[in-house]
Amino acid sequence: SFAVCVWGLGFGVGSLLWGVYSGLLVGCLLWFLILGVQLVAGAPLRATLILVSFCVPYCVATWGAITVYKCLWCRVKQAGYCSSQ
């Protein structure tokens, strides 16, 4: 069914893991670039900026991974490599 396929694309093929790795890497870079300047200047840090600097890259990377896996899954299904057509 469609719900099982979406669940498998989102959680079964490493999409979340890809999102976590990308979110941590890009989030750390954003944190140092944006919030590091504020830290050096002595300004107080806002929790929302810290949260957003990690959550946005995670969401973008996870959505990208799901889209790529969905595209590959559709190509495999159209080519007839899947037994459950």
Side-chain angles (χ1 to χ4, degrees):
S1 75
F2 180 74
V4 173
C5 294
V6 171
W7 180 263
L9 287 172
F11 300 102
V13 290
S15 304
L16 291 177
L17 195 58
W18 177 256
V20 168
Y21 289 150
S22 300
L24 285 175
L25 177 70
V26 175
C28 287
L29 291 173
L30 286 174
W31 192 86
F32 283 119
L33 290 174
I34 296 170
L35 300 175
V37 173
Q38 290 182 358
L39 201 73
V40 170
L45 296 177
R46 292 186 299 190
T48 55
L49 285 177
I50 295 170
L51 185 65
V52 167
S53 66
F54 288 99
C55 287
V56 169
Y58 167 76
C59 291
V60 170
T62 303
W63 183 255
I66 289 172
T67 304
V68 167
Y69 288 131
K70 181 182 176 200
C71 180
L72 291 174
W73 180 74
C74 288
R75 285 186 184 179
V76 165
K77 191 173 178 181
Q78 286 176 353
Y81 297 126
C82 246
S83 61
S84 61
Q85 285 189 2

